[in-house]
Each structure stands twice: as structure tokens, then as C-alpha cells.
Amino acid sequence: MPDSTIIFSAIHGLAATVWVGGMFFAYFILRPSLGQLEPPQRLAVWNSVFKRFLKLVWIIVIALPLTGYAQVYMDFGDFDSAGLAINSMHIVGLLMIALFVYLYVGPYQKFGAAVAASEWPVAAGHLNSIRQIVHANTMLGLITVVIGSSGRFWG
Ligand code: HEM
């Protein structure tokens, strides 16, 4: 096995772990824990959480497909030979990336502008849209991790 395959596979696995783990933590742990704060404080915390995390996610949404495609072409030759699991991971992965880009250019920009203007109810509305997208992407991410890590035994 070429060294590059090992490196691509390691980067792919790390990128998936940080993205899906980060969303899981945000949705299931941080969100209920911040529920006791007043809206201005809560929304300001989310604003700085997003500023840090979403920067990282931009790197991840570039690294995941690049390392995924590299593995497809180097290990399997093409998508036809790669099998059902990898083809499903590819489709769900692209859907997750599209949802992230939509979140970033849509609700997240509006949320940031509303927080900067101290328009708390407006910001809370956009945060709710972000929450729904992050929920969907967390579920898709968990499914993709199951497919990615177990697919070689059934796909
Ligand atoms: C976007 C297009 C993607 C492509 C083309 C792709 C392709 C691949 C390939 C070829 C493998 C190696 C499978 C094997 O050797 O049996 C793999 C593994 C894996 N993928 Fe993906 N993948 C993509 C997106 C994703 C996403 C979005 C996630 C999770 C968020 C993910 C999670 C994993 C995991 C956990 C593994 C197993 C560990 C590893 O090999 O790094 N993949 N993927």
C-alpha cells in the first residue's frame, strides 16, 4: 500500500472526526447547557463558537472530498469499482458540504449581522435555522461515519 494512501486515509478520518464530533458536541451538549443564559449572552457565546468552529469546517470540507477522491482513484480506480458504501458516502458527503455552504452564506451571515446590531430576536430566529441545519448535518455525519468505517465489510 503506498504511503500516500495511508496519509489520505488518516487525514480523511481525522477531518470526519473533528467535523462530526464538533457538531455533535455543539448540538447535544453545548446547546442545552447554554439554555439558562439570557439571550444577549447566549447569542454572543454562539457567535464566538461559530467564528472559531466554522473556520475549521472550511478546511474540513475541502480536505474530506480531496482525500476521499484520492482514495477512490488510487485504491479502487473509479467510483464503479468502489462499491455501494463509498458511493453512498460520496453522495451524503456532498449533501453535507452543500448544507454547510448554505448555512455559512445564508443564516450564519444574517445571524452575525443581527448579533452585531444587538437585534436579539432576529439573531435568535437565524440561530434556529442554523440549529436545524446542524441537526440534519450531525445525523447525516453519524450515518456517513458508520458507512465509511464499516463499508469495507459490506459495501
Ligand atoms: C465527499 C466525498 C467523500 C468521498 C469520495 C469519500 C471516500 C472515502 C473512501 C474511498 C474511503 C476509504 C474506504 C475504504 O478503504 O474501505 C473513506 C473512508 C471513510 N470516510 Fe469518506 N468520503 C467522502 C466523504 C466523507 C464524509 C463527509 C465523512 C464523514 C463526515 C466520511 C467519513 C469516512 C470515514 C470515517 C472513513 C473510514 C476511515 C478512513 O478511511 O479514513 N467520508 N471515504
Side-chain angles (χ1 to χ4, degrees), residues 39-44 111 114-127:
Q41 288 166 306
R42 189 166 50 83
L43 295 162
F111 170 77
V115 169
S118 303
E119 291 170 349
W120 307 119
V122 179
H126 295 307
L127 183 63

Side-chain angles (χ1 to χ4, degrees), residues 9 12-13 16 20 64-65 68-69 71-72 86 89-90 93 144 148-149 152:
S9 166
H12 196 80
V20 180
L64 267 178
Y69 293 133
Q71 289 181 80
V72 168
I86 289 168
M89 172 161 35
H90 179 219
T144 314
S149 50
R152 73 193 62 187

